[in-house]
Amino acid sequence: MAIIALVSAKGSPGVTASALACALTWHRRLILAECDPAGGSILAGYLGGALDGPRGIGELAVGELRDGSLETAFWSQLVDLDAPRRERLLLPGVVDPAQAGSVAPLWQRFTDFFLDLERGDPPYDVLVDCGRLQVAGPPWPVLRAAAVVLLVTRARLPDLSATQAMVRAIERDFTEHRVPPGTLRLLPVGDGHGRGEISKALRLPVIARLPDDPRTAEVLTLGGTLRAGRPLMRAAGALEVPVRALLDRRRARLAWPVTQGVPGAV
């Protein structure tokens, strides 16, 4: 179990739609956390504003700053996307810009709490929509703690150019904070340059590719009838396989005993 973060460099390449498609198709128990400082959109969009009253990470932040109530309030702020099974849960993002100021100082607190969820009973993966990094107060602690970070980008030249600069910025930050190598992967969306070209140009592996599927993206963004057989949903479900493989390789690498410099080691 792990934190898996999705983030983009600029524009709107479909981070939230991609994250939501994964949350609705992956097989492990998970929580989708909207940690985009610019605001969450799933409550008003995919869920059509059907829930009464405020709910989400903004409410948790206010309560945590007031009386340290994160542990006791967390589960009441979630939305069951697959009711009543509680296997696909949503932590909605901020809806009021004023809430963003309350959330920003607590990114490390939320990150530590998310990490504890993988050791809970039952355990949960946390799939985090981090939005764009080029905003005020981005959730860097979440990205540094993630076992996998997927950098979502359109596959056309203008988007790849902006993504290249963001790759270097993330890599510098990860090096400075001693994040284990191999965490960051590219997730291109739509038509454009091929996977090999993208990986070579940005000097970063491409983990998979999501198709352009405007009909499904519209449902994930605005609500409606979602069809599991649509291209985006199939590709999002298939993405779980390379993500899990990457997680397994990273765990194995981190668990491998360090023998360098030990007398008698081969």
Side-chain angles (χ1 to χ4, degrees):
M1 315 301 280
I3 294 176
I4 302 157
L6 289 86
V7 66
S8 71
K10 65 171 289 187
S12 181
V15 175
T16 300
S18 300
L20 181 55
C22 292
L24 295 173
T25 55
W26 288 10
H27 295 90
R28 297 283 286 271
R29 187 181 288 107
L30 61 80
I31 294 170
L32 172 57
E34 285 191 287
C35 293
D36 183 349
S41 60
I42 296 177
L43 274 184
Y46 177 70
L47 295 177
L51 299 176
D52 295 328
R55 194 182 301 194
I57 197 169
E59 297 299 310
L60 286 175
V62 171
E64 177 67 11
L65 291 171
R66 183 180 60 244
D67 53 24
S69 60
L70 178 58
E71 283 85 357
T72 56
F74 180 76
W75 298 99
S76 68
Q77 294 298 315
L78 303 181
V79 179
D80 193 344
L81 296 173
D82 194 20
R85 301 172 64 186
R86 296 191 67 80
E87 293 185 354
R88 309 175 195 274
L89 302 172
L90 168 70
L91 176 62
V94 297
V95 294
D96 182 346
Q99 290 182 327
S102 300
V103 173
L106 294 175
W107 284 132
Q108 187 62 58
R109 177 73 174 98
F110 284 120
T111 299
D112 295 339
F113 186 81
F114 292 161
L115 288 171
D116 285 340
L117 292 174
E118 65 177 316
R119 295 183 288 271
D121 184 19
Y124 280 88
D125 283 346
V126 184
L127 191 64
V128 186
D129 172 6
C130 294
R132 292 178 295 126
L133 283 184
Q134 295 169 325
V135 295
W140 279 108
V142 176
L143 295 170
R144 294 165 191 154
V148 177
V149 177
L150 302 179
L151 183 51
V152 184
T153 179
R154 291 286 179 185
R156 300 189 184 278
L157 186 58
D159 300 276
L160 294 175
S161 178
T163 301
Q164 184 176 41
M166 187 54 61
V167 168
R168 305 287 89 83
I170 294 174
E171 290 179 334
R172 286 193 300 270
D173 181 89
F174 281 8
T175 298
E176 178 182 347
H177 290 87
R178 299 183 179 180
V179 175
T183 298
L184 186 61
R185 291 292 187 272
L186 294 168
L187 181 62
V189 176
D191 299 328
H193 293 278
R195 289 179 57 167
E197 293 177 286
I198 295 171
S199 181
K200 182 178 180 180
L202 273 60
R203 303 197 302 275
L204 192 67
V206 172
I207 193 168
R209 187 176 195 136
L210 298 181
D212 241 342
D213 184 357
R215 290 172 59 185
T216 303
E218 182 175 4
V219 173
L220 292 169
T221 303
L222 301 176
T225 302
L226 193 63
R227 302 186 183 279
R230 294 289 301 171
L232 177 54
M233 301 305 290
R234 293 199 308 269
L239 177 60
E240 184 177 14
V241 174
V243 167
R244 294 297 171 195
L246 183 59
L247 287 172
D248 290 343
R249 290 197 298 271
R250 175 174 173 174
R251 289 193 183 102
R253 184 171 61 248
L254 293 178
W256 193 260
V258 178
T259 58
Q260 186 176 358
V262 178
V266 178

